[in-house]
Amino acid sequence: MPQNRPGAGSFLALGYVYNVAPKDGTVIAIGAPTAPLDEKLGSQGVRFKTAEFNWIGRIDSLINIVFLWNTSPVKTVADAQRIEAKLSGTGVGSTVSIYPTVMNNVLGTKFKLIMGYKGSNDAQLAVERGEVEGHSTSWTAVKVAHPTWRPEKTINIIVQFALKKHPELPEVPTVVELARNDEERQILRAVMNATEIGTAFFTAPSVPSDRVETLRRAFDATMKDPEFLAEAQRTKLTIGPLPGEELQKLVSEVSALSPALLEKVRAAYAMPK
């Protein structure tokens, strides 16, 4: 039975699974892919240890974008470095606000986040209403909710937050490509590792290992199931699975960031006061 636990960029949901949910594998959750880095940075509201979750598997990497409405004077990242553009935002811990903030701090863009929208759907509606000029969210969220926006050039996508270009966005630069020197590239790559964690499922800490194994193998089988793949294609969702064991390792590797690089990433995360 699905339960939505909104708040604090999925930190409330993560905290619930870590601290409250039964430790028997009956509660499976999904949260912000940046959660391991948020924990490492000591972000406000983190009450969990991501490496202690039992990671079940990833459906796909989660590539975010920044898009602007066609009436905005900002058409490129170079424009965004000269002209302020208002973007709708949600929770502080969400990639919706994190990624534009990182661009501002690392690349000198002038995005102004208008916070407080309940979710990405409301934030996209705000763009359509003209309350703001653009929004940062997952490419999947945009193409599923508004499949005509990009083909009809209603919006202009100026950057994708990824280590590798999405096959559907070959002409849109990755944020790492926009780095002007090695230091910026290192910072941006550290943040973009979250895209590899992507849309990933986990269960609580201390779940018996045999149950974790069962959940992981069931997940792997689902990723190959013809009916599931047909439904994903029908809903325009892409599938790029990663087994739970590899995902667990990826989450744990965040702790290997050097203290010096971690401080630079912390500075890149800093929201304006």
Side-chain angles (χ1 to χ4, degrees), residues 42-190:
S43 299
Q44 185 177 359
V46 171
R47 293 177 175 82
F48 50 81
K49 294 183 179 180
T50 49
E52 293 183 11
F53 287 124
N54 285 289
W55 293 85
I56 297 168
R58 182 195 81 185
I59 293 181
D60 196 14
S61 57
L62 188 62
I63 291 181
N64 278 40
I65 59 171
V66 170
F67 72 82
L68 284 301
W69 202 248
N70 58 46
T71 54
S72 173
V74 175
K75 309 295 184 186
T76 66
V77 171
D79 290 340
Q81 291 169 324
R82 298 183 296 103
I83 305 168
E84 181 181 273
K86 293 180 180 178
L87 305 181
S88 48
T90 55
V92 172
S94 168
T95 54
V96 167
S97 57
I98 288 172
Y99 289 162
T101 297
V102 168
M103 282 191 71
N104 286 348
N105 291 332
V106 177
L107 298 175
T109 49
K110 299 182 182 298
F111 296 126
K112 182 177 181 180
L113 284 162
I114 308 301
M115 305 294 283
Y117 292 94
K118 292 182 179 179
S120 191
N121 285 339
D122 286 346
Q124 290 185 64
L125 184 60
V127 182
E128 198 168 17
R129 287 174 172 171
E131 296 172 15
V132 292
E133 293 170 66
H135 180 52
S136 175
T137 189
S138 74
W139 164 232
T140 298
V142 176
K143 72 175 183 177
V144 170
H146 304 283
T148 64
W149 273 8
R150 185 163 181 262
E152 295 179 359
K153 300 185 178 179
T154 304
I155 60 170
N156 180 33
I157 301 174
I158 64 171
V159 65
Q160 54 182 307
F161 298 102
L163 295 175
K164 299 176 182 177
K165 287 184 176 182
H166 192 286
E168 296 173 352
L169 303 171
E171 79 288 357
V172 179
T174 69
V175 71
V176 178
E177 289 178 294
L178 297 170
R180 297 164 293 187
N181 53 55
D182 287 342
E183 180 177 292
E184 290 182 354
R185 194 169 295 107
Q186 286 179 338
I187 295 169
L188 293 170
R189 283 187 66 87

Side-chain angles (χ1 to χ4, degrees), residues 56-59 201 215-223 241-242:
I56 297 168
R58 182 195 81 185
I59 293 181
F201 290 92
L215 288 170
R216 286 175 171 173
R217 300 295 75 82
F219 179 87
D220 292 345
T222 301
M223 293 301 101
L242 192 69

